């Protein structure tokens, strides 16, 4: 039983780290899209900005 708890705890630690990194990735994506959009409005930059904003809000 102790081995099972340790395994579950290890999974939670790894999975939690991945979930904590996602907002940072999306903020970086949003910032890059905004920089691109200020230079030149592109469909890809607008799409990336929309997706990043939605993921940050959720």
């Amino acid at each position: 039983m102790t081995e099972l708890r340790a395994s579950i705890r290890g999974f939670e630690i790894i999975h939690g780290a991945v979930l904590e990194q996602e907002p940072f990735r999306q903020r970086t994506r949003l910032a890059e899209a905004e920089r691109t959009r200020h230079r030149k409005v592109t469909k890809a930059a607008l799409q990336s900005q929309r997706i990043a904003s939605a993921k940050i809000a959720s």
Side-chain angles (χ1 to χ4, degrees):
M1 191 60 139
T2 305
E3 186 178 314
L4 179 60
R5 285 184 184 163
S7 179
I8 291 171
R9 182 67 183 143
F11 174 79
E12 289 173 344
I13 290 170
I14 293 169
H15 190 64
V18 170
L19 290 177
E20 289 174 358
Q21 291 172 359
E22 186 63 24
F24 294 109
R25 285 189 198 123
Q26 294 307 321
R27 286 188 189 106
T28 303
R29 180 181 187 175
L30 179 58
E32 182 63 31
E34 288 175 349
R35 279 193 294 274
T36 302
R37 194 178 52 110
H38 287 299
R39 286 182 299 211
K40 180 179 178 185
V41 177
T42 64
K43 187 176 181 180
L46 292 172
Q47 182 76 353
S48 190
Q49 185 179 16
R50 181 188 64 78
I51 292 169
S53 295
K55 287 186 176 183
I56 290 170
S58 64

